[in-house]
Amino acid sequence: YIAGMGMVTPVGANVEMTVAAIAADISAYHSSDFFSVHNQQPFTMTGVPREFFDSVEAEIDEGGHYGGQADNIIKMAIQALRETVAELPPTLTVPLVLAMPETRPGDKYIAPELLFKNLLGQQDLPLSADKLHCLRSGRAAGIEGISLAKRYLFEQGEDYVLIGGSDSYWSHPRLNALDEAQRVLTPVSKDGFAPGEAAGFILLTADAERAMQHDNQMVSLPGCGAAEESGHLYSQSPYLGDGLDQAFKQALGRYQGAPVDAIYSSMNGENHAAKEYGVAFMRSKKSFHSEVRVEHPADCYGDLGAATSPILIALAATDLFKQPLANAHLVYSSSDGPARAAVLLERNQCLDEA
């Protein structure tokens, strides 16, 4: 069950603000100061306002090789985690599964040790220092980490587990690599995405009594799937969509409830992302409502990298809480590399009302 959630995005400093901005179709897209060497046009990007970072109260240990990108990643993570664990007892410590970008040659990112050190240094974050893990599979990592979370909850008896990520494309090495592949959106590009930055976390529990509740409802995660796409962006193999198809089938395999009402997708505007979705959806079409909604909020906040999955899960859960006739939503994310993952969210009645 979902027991807490928090986020910082280019359109909101918390879950409530982000949900409201997306509902109002507010876009954070803007022309940046970064330029493409291919068409001499500014990159279209999204970013968290500078005022947010100036307002975060936290002691930061800069360590070596510190810069603006690292500062943003750390502060977004701290604030999103604070929102996620706001209702936890202060004496509790919780394992953390951290989603991180895929490792690519020449692509620099904050060292996990520096991020963990700064998170552990915050007295108001109840993290278990000996139970920190990172998954380097990009957008899909936040869903892939659910399997590890379940082992903590069901095999080791942990009360809660945190899953999430904090990511930012705002650095020359990352943008240069994307520009070299001509993947960044500009005023004249025909295929590309808006690089952004964000942090998102969800708190999971195996105990229904510890779950978040809204109008006597709670949200469970009854099915999860992870697979690999052989024809990913960095592969020479044909791009067939088989990886996402398998992730869908695993997530939906044991579900016996009403048809799935909505799909929350990591699609970011690049053409290839829509192709594999079409394959996966058609092969599992019987599981979905005839008028299923497809939500791809990157239209508002851009591509959020490793923060994508936990933010999509939180948005889907919030939607389930607010939609009285909704039953279940599917969330999926596709990374640039082979990782593909999907998770089913189902709304349940609280035990005392059952």
Side-chain angles (χ1 to χ4, degrees):
Y1 302 93
I2 292 179
M5 46 196 184
M7 66 179 69
V8 174
T9 72
V11 294
N14 52 44
V15 173
E16 183 178 5
M17 290 176 63
T18 299
V19 169
I22 293 171
D25 203 24
I26 293 173
S27 174
Y29 282 45
H30 67 276
S31 293
S32 71
D33 293 332
F34 296 96
F35 276 73
S36 169
V37 299
H38 293 282
N39 56 38
Q40 302 303 310
Q41 293 290 319
F43 292 153
T44 299
M45 298 180 64
T46 67
V48 174
R50 188 68 248 169
E51 293 79 8
F52 165 82
F53 298 109
D54 294 338
S55 70
V56 175
E57 296 182 3
E59 292 293 329
I60 304 297
D61 185 340
E62 297 185 358
H65 306 291
Y66 196 81
Q69 183 196 37
D71 186 81
N72 289 11
I73 288 170
I74 292 169
K75 289 181 178 179
M76 289 188 299
I78 290 171
Q79 200 65 21
L81 278 166
R82 285 173 173 167
E83 182 183 10
T84 308
V85 303
E87 301 300 321
L88 286 188
T91 57
L92 204 63
T93 58
V94 182
L96 170 63
V97 181
L98 186 66
M100 300 192 73
E102 299 159 280
T103 302
R104 302 296 307 168
D107 193 2
K108 295 184 178 180
Y109 183 77
I110 186 173
E113 297 78 12
L114 179 59
L115 181 51
F116 282 140
K117 183 178 182 180
N118 276 283
L119 296 180
L120 290 170
Q122 310 306 312
Q123 297 299 314
D124 55 350
L125 296 182
L127 303 178
S128 298
D130 59 340
K131 296 176 181 177
L132 304 173
H133 301 267
C134 64
L135 298 175
R136 293 181 173 274
S137 51
R139 297 184 199 91
I143 299 176
E144 288 184 317
I146 294 173
S147 296
L148 179 57
K150 286 184 176 181
R151 291 202 292 271
Y152 270 122
L153 294 171
F154 294 103
E155 297 176 15
Q156 299 185 28
E158 294 286 346
D159 293 331
Y160 301 94
V161 178
L162 283 159
I163 300 178
S166 184
D167 200 356
S168 175
Y169 284 101
W170 284 74
S171 73
H172 285 288
R174 292 192 80 178
L175 292 172
N176 289 344
L178 291 169
D179 187 36
E180 183 65 27
Q182 300 186 49
R183 295 182 59 197
V184 184
L185 188 65
T186 70
V188 298
S189 61
K190 296 181 180 179
D191 185 16
F193 71 88
E197 59 184 358
F201 292 87
I202 56 172
L203 183 69
L204 300 181
T205 181
D207 187 350
E209 294 185 357
R210 295 189 173 102
M212 286 184 68
Q213 297 184 12
H214 180 77
D215 290 339
N216 295 317
Q217 305 292 317
M218 54 190 177
V219 174
S220 63
L221 282 63
C224 188
E228 292 192 350
E229 170 58 53
S230 60
H232 58 84
L233 280 173
Y234 302 111
S235 169
Q236 298 301 315
S237 300
Y239 187 34
L240 303 177
D242 292 334
L244 189 60
D245 169 41
Q246 290 302 312
F248 269 39
K249 288 176 178 175
Q250 291 174 30
L252 295 164
R254 297 182 180 180
Y255 179 61
Q256 300 296 321
V260 175
D261 307 279
I263 299 171
Y264 277 73
S265 165
S266 64
M267 284 191 288
N268 62 3
E270 293 183 285
N271 292 333
H272 71 273
K275 295 177 183 178
E276 68 172 352
Y277 162 73
V279 171
F281 174 76
M282 291 304 298
R283 292 179 181 176
S284 295
K285 189 174 181 180
K286 66 180 185 299
S287 297
F288 298 101
H289 193 282
S290 59
E291 297 181 1
V292 63
R293 289 184 291 116
V294 182
E295 305 287 350
H296 35 83
D299 286 354
C300 294
Y301 55 47
D303 190 306
L304 306 182
T308 295
S309 288
I311 288 176
L312 288 175
I313 291 171
L315 294 176
T318 302
D319 188 54
L320 278 173
F321 279 134
K322 292 185 175 183
Q323 297 292 334
L325 300 180
N327 298 291
H329 293 347
L330 184 76
V331 177
Y332 82 87
S333 285
S334 297
S335 299
D336 287 351
R340 302 291 187 269
V343 61
L344 185 68
L345 276 64
E346 184 178 13
R347 188 172 65 177
N348 309 110
Q349 194 171 26
C350 293
L351 297 180
D352 59 349
E353 296 291 328

